[in-house]
Amino acid sequence: MAEMYKLFSIISDLQDKKYHDSAVKNKIKKAYDYIEENYTKEEISNKFLAELCNLSERRFTTLFQEIYGSTPRQYIIEKKLSFAALLLKTEIYSISQIAKMSGFPDVYSFSHSFKKVYSVSPTEYKIG
């Protein structure tokens, strides 16, 4: 019988977590949607995203990280790099063009971020 109560407790916790995740996602949806539409177009600050959601910057960052597993800044960089990786595989654009199209301020910051995440330079990734 004790095992049955443990099982019910686990199920209850999972349901509470699912509801919590849904409520949190709804709270930060405006920011998520904004990121999805604009990550390559402009530099997006946590402060701006928090204001979109009517939250403090600290609370917004905490909620975002709970749902997406990374800070908003990390998430945006990962989106940019993922997009850049797709562009690199097309072999149509130069590294500097891809850096600009992906929303990085310059080739150096793009290359540095790319190598940090993919463990190879953009050039190595492109030809590999």
Side-chain angles (χ1 to χ4, degrees), residues 34-52:
Y34 189 86
I35 290 169
E36 292 298 311
E37 292 179 23
N38 297 289
Y39 70 93
T40 62
K41 299 174 190 166
E42 61 186 83
E43 191 64 29
I44 305 170
S45 71
N46 286 350
K47 181 180 179 185
F48 174 78
L49 295 171
E51 288 171 358
L52 277 178

Side-chain angles (χ1 to χ4, degrees), residues 38-119:
N38 297 289
Y39 70 93
T40 62
K41 299 174 190 166
E42 61 186 83
E43 191 64 29
I44 305 170
S45 71
N46 286 350
K47 181 180 179 185
F48 174 78
L49 295 171
E51 288 171 358
L52 277 178
C53 300
N54 295 319
L55 294 168
S56 71
E57 191 173 340
R58 185 175 186 170
R59 181 69 177 143
F60 168 73
T61 302
T62 299
L63 292 175
F64 194 96
Q65 192 163 7
E66 280 180 22
I67 293 300
Y68 299 106
S70 65
T71 66
R73 182 80 191 123
Q74 290 168 327
Y75 182 80
I76 291 167
I77 290 170
E78 289 168 9
K79 292 285 299 177
K80 289 178 178 189
L81 291 174
S82 178
F83 180 64
L86 290 173
L87 292 175
L88 285 166
K89 287 300 181 183
T90 68
E91 299 182 11
I92 297 172
Y93 305 103
S94 71
I95 303 296
S96 59
Q97 288 173 314
I98 291 171
K100 186 175 182 177
M101 292 168 69
S102 301
F104 285 90
D106 55 58
V107 175
Y108 174 76
S109 61
F110 167 61
S111 295
H112 179 76
S113 296
F114 194 91
K115 191 166 188 174
K116 192 174 181 181
V117 171
Y118 288 91
S119 301

